């Protein structure tokens, strides 16, 4: 929705109440603030992209009591609220970081826990992204170094490809796991979201040439409808047992764009020792040991 500029102090509580628990971002600024002027067009643009999020612009000189209540000591400062509870405060973010935080907290409960983390993923499976050995994660063709680690940590940043649309992410685990399903969260530019995704179980240091020569463990095609629904992409569970590392090769994107962009990769499953054999299915979908 359009950016709301606070005109009188009574509006503050009215806007938060009107949001009915949805995210409200209180954007503290001032006319004389240079960084505020620089980010202002981006904030206005971001506001139009998130119809369920209210961004409230508050001039710290006009509304000093509200600024004091949030202990604002630098501007621009963005306070993320659900109801009357502050869930996050960020000073001087860049536009990409700001939008990532809006996505994160608009899809979370009041503690900032995403719905997939809160529920533990598909029934019976937990988020095993927490078992990734983050310092050893590598990504080929990422625009900004470390972006792949960021989307696995779910810290609100974005992973973008650089010279073309392809990405290869090498993911090691702290312990062996069994992967049941995954979810890829797009940015607001959903035409840049991954479409063809090839998975290689127990592979490391795979390059683009090798990825073209080696048969993937599974190839997934993700549609715009999948992204709209936010559904989990179920893997062939029997093929992803006792996994110490995983390579994700993003071959293209849904809009055939030159750049691929995504905000989050989450993996769901169990540790290797926690799996019941009755959970496993053959490639044709029948249970192992079943009649």
């Amino acid at each position: 929705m359009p950016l709301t500029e606070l005109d009188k102090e009574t509006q503050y509580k009215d806007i938060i109440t009107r949001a009915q628990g949805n995210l409200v971002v209180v954007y503290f600024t001032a006319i004389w603030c240079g960084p505020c002027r620089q980010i202002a067009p981006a904030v206005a643009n971001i506001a139009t992209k998130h119809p369920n999020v209210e961004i409230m612009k508050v001039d710290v000189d006009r509304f000093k009591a509200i600024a004091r209540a949030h202990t604002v000591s630098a501007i621009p400062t963005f306070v993320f609220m659900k109801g009357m509870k502050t869930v996050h405060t960020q000073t001087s973010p860049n536009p990409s970081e700001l939008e990532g935080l809006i996505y994160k907290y608009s899809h979370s409960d009041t503690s900032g826990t995403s719905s997939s983390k809160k529920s533990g993923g598909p029934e019976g499976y937990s988020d095993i992204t927490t078992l990734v050995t983050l310092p050893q994660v590598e990504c080929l063709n990422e625009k900004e170094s470390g972006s792949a680690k960021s989307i696995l940590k779910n810290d609100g940043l974005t992973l973008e490809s650089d010279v073309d649309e392809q990405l290869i992410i090498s993911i090691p685990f702290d312990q062996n796991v069994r992967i049941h399903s995954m979810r890829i969260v797009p940015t607001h530019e959903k035409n840049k979201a991954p479409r063809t995704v090839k998975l290689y179980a127990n592979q490391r240091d795979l390059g683009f040439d090798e990825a073209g020569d080696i048969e993937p463990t599974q190839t997934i095609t993700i549609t715009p409808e999948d992204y709209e629904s936010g559904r989990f992409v179920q893997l062939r569970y029997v093929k992803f047992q006792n996994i110490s590392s995983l390579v994700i090769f993003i071959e293209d994107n849904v809009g055939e764009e030159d750049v691929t962009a995504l905000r989050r990769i989450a993996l769901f499953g169990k540790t290797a020792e926690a799996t019941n054999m009755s959970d496993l299915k053959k490639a044709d979908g029948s249970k192992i040991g079943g009649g």
Side-chain angles (χ1 to χ4, degrees):
M1 61 181 64
L3 185 71
T4 301
E5 187 162 356
L6 199 66
D7 186 52
K8 50 188 178 181
E9 196 162 322
T10 54
Q11 279 183 286
Y12 172 76
K13 187 173 284 188
D14 290 343
I15 289 170
I16 295 174
T17 302
R18 185 178 70 202
Q20 298 182 327
N22 288 328
L23 181 66
V24 176
V25 181
V26 187
Y27 162 35
F28 289 98
T29 182
I31 296 172
W32 47 264
C33 171
C36 299
R37 289 196 298 271
Q38 290 175 353
I39 199 172
V43 176
N45 184 45
I46 289 169
T48 64
K49 298 176 183 176
H50 297 273
N52 296 320
V53 177
E54 183 96 45
I55 300 182
M56 183 191 337
K57 185 177 179 180
V58 177
D59 188 306
V60 296
D61 293 324
R62 291 186 62 196
F63 302 102
K64 294 179 181 179
I66 297 174
R68 281 197 302 269
H70 289 283
T71 62
V72 174
S73 58
I75 52 176
T77 287
F78 295 82
V79 177
F80 296 74
M81 300 185 69
K82 285 199 166 182
M84 296 303 295
K85 180 177 179 180
T86 297
V87 296
H88 185 76
T89 299
Q90 188 74 31
T91 301
S92 299
N94 62 49
S96 178
E97 184 181 12
L98 175 62
E99 188 156 16
L101 290 167
I102 288 173
Y103 186 93
K104 176 180 179 180
Y105 288 104
S106 63
H107 290 73
S108 68
D109 61 20
T110 55
S111 68
T113 302
S114 67
S115 58
S116 63
K117 284 185 176 181
K118 186 177 179 183
S119 67
E123 185 177 354
Y125 301 94
S126 59
D127 186 345
I128 57 172
T129 320
T130 56
L131 300 177
V132 171
T133 311
L134 282 171
Q136 297 178 24
V137 171
E138 296 180 354
C139 183
L140 301 181
N141 196 38
E142 63 180 341
K143 185 175 181 179
E144 293 188 22
S145 178
S147 300
K149 296 183 178 71
S150 295
I151 67 166
L152 290 164
K153 288 189 295 183
N154 195 23
D155 63 5
L157 300 184
T158 297
L159 171 62
E160 291 187 352
S161 63
D162 190 9
V163 299
D164 60 20
E165 76 281 10
Q166 297 187 337
L167 289 159
I168 289 184
I169 308 168
S170 177
I171 303 173
F173 294 94
D174 293 336
Q175 58 180 290
N176 286 8
V177 297
R178 306 178 192 267
I179 309 174
H180 171 268
S181 53
M182 67 185 298
R183 173 183 282 164
I184 295 178
V185 179
T187 68
H188 67 281
E189 297 180 289
K190 294 183 180 179
N191 56 319
K192 295 183 178 180
R195 178 176 57 187
T196 307
V197 179
K198 296 182 177 180
L199 306 177
Y200 300 82
N202 292 326
Q203 291 283 350
R204 291 289 303 275
D205 305 321
L206 203 64
F208 290 105
D209 290 338
E210 293 90 342
D213 294 336
I214 298 174
E215 184 72 20
T217 309
Q218 184 172 348
T219 299
I220 298 165
T221 301
I222 308 177
T223 66
E225 291 74 24
D226 292 327
Y227 287 118
E228 287 296 330
S229 67
R231 66 170 65 103
F232 299 98
V233 178
Q234 188 165 342
L235 308 188
R236 295 172 185 157
Y237 195 33
V238 71
K239 291 192 173 186
F240 291 89
Q241 306 298 303
N242 209 32
I243 304 300
S244 61
S245 61
L246 179 71
V247 168
I248 300 176
F249 173 31
I250 298 173
E251 193 169 45
D252 54 25
N253 54 61
V254 297
E256 299 182 355
E257 299 286 341
D258 294 332
V259 173
T260 294
L262 58 153
R263 196 172 301 286
R264 170 79 167 133
I265 292 178
L267 302 167
F268 300 92
K270 301 179 179 181
T271 56
E273 67 273 12
T275 299
N276 187 324
M277 287 301 291
S278 65
D279 291 337
L280 304 185
K281 295 182 179 182
K282 300 175 184 178
D284 64 2
S286 62
K287 287 284 186 76
I288 290 178

